[in-house]
């Protein structure tokens, strides 16, 4: 549960940082960024899974990472339509957000796994 909360906070921070750096992305507040990060996560886990599976079958799972990024970018554009205080102007900025969120998520997962590994080593 703590990993989910940390991942959500980091994703929201990435969204705010990208909104600050890129004029094509607008986020009204950190609360909006939290809501957007939550929606992206939920939609990616449900609708994204349903979209990714047939696309991965077509590519024979060779382009799985690329398919995941493109589907996440589409979901970001969908969330853009759902949330009033969040705007992404164009598909390329949505793809950049997807790449940044994937990188941040990977770093958080890596850091959390390192902490778990250290805790296990200390116990034994």
């Amino acid at each position: 549960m703590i990993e989910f909360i940390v991942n959500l906070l980091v994703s929201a921070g990435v969204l705010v940082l990208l909104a600050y750096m890129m004029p094509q992305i607008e986020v009204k507040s950190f609360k909006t960024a939290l809501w957007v990060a939550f929606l992206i996560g939920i939609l990616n886990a449900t609708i994204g899974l349903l979209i990714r599976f047939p696309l991965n079958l077509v590519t024979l799972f060779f382009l799985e990472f690329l398919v995941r990024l493109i589907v996440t970018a589409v979901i970001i554009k969908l969330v853009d339509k759902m949330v009033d205080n969040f705007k992404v102007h164009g598909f390329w900025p949505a793809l950049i957000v997807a790449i940044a969120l994937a990188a941040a998520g990977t770093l958080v997962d890596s850091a959390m796994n390192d902490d778990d590994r250290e805790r296990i080593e200390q116990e034994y």
Side-chain angles (χ1 to χ4, degrees):
M1 183 66 172
I2 191 78
E3 188 172 332
F4 173 75
I5 293 170
V6 169
N7 208 340
L8 189 65
L9 290 171
V10 168
S11 295
V14 166
L15 286 170
V16 169
L17 181 65
L18 286 174
Y20 178 74
M21 292 172 50
M22 298 176 63
Q24 300 94 341
I25 302 169
E26 300 173 21
V27 177
K28 185 94 171 180
S29 66
F30 189 74
K31 182 180 174 184
T32 302
L34 276 173
W35 177 238
V36 167
F38 179 76
L39 283 176
I40 290 170
I42 295 297
L43 291 176
N44 225 350
T46 56
I47 296 171
L49 183 65
L50 296 174
I51 296 171
R52 279 192 311 267
F53 183 71
L55 290 175
N56 282 330
L57 287 177
V58 170
T59 64
L60 301 174
F61 291 93
F62 288 125
L63 304 173
E64 187 174 357
F65 183 71
L66 185 61
V67 168
R68 179 179 294 267
L69 286 178
I70 291 171
V71 169
T72 302
V74 169
I75 288 174
I76 289 167
K77 289 300 290 178
L78 180 65
V79 171
D80 171 23
K81 301 296 182 203
M82 294 169 58
V83 179
D84 291 332
N85 295 329
F86 174 68
K87 297 291 176 220
V88 177
H89 302 284
F91 183 76
W92 290 110
L95 192 59
I96 291 171
V97 170
I99 292 168
L101 289 177
T106 301
L107 290 174
V108 167
D109 290 343
S110 175
M112 294 297 254
N113 288 338
D114 288 345
D115 290 344
D116 291 341
R117 210 173 300 123
E118 287 176 11
R119 196 173 330 126
I120 290 170
E121 288 174 358
Q122 288 175 355
E123 288 177 3
Y124 296 105

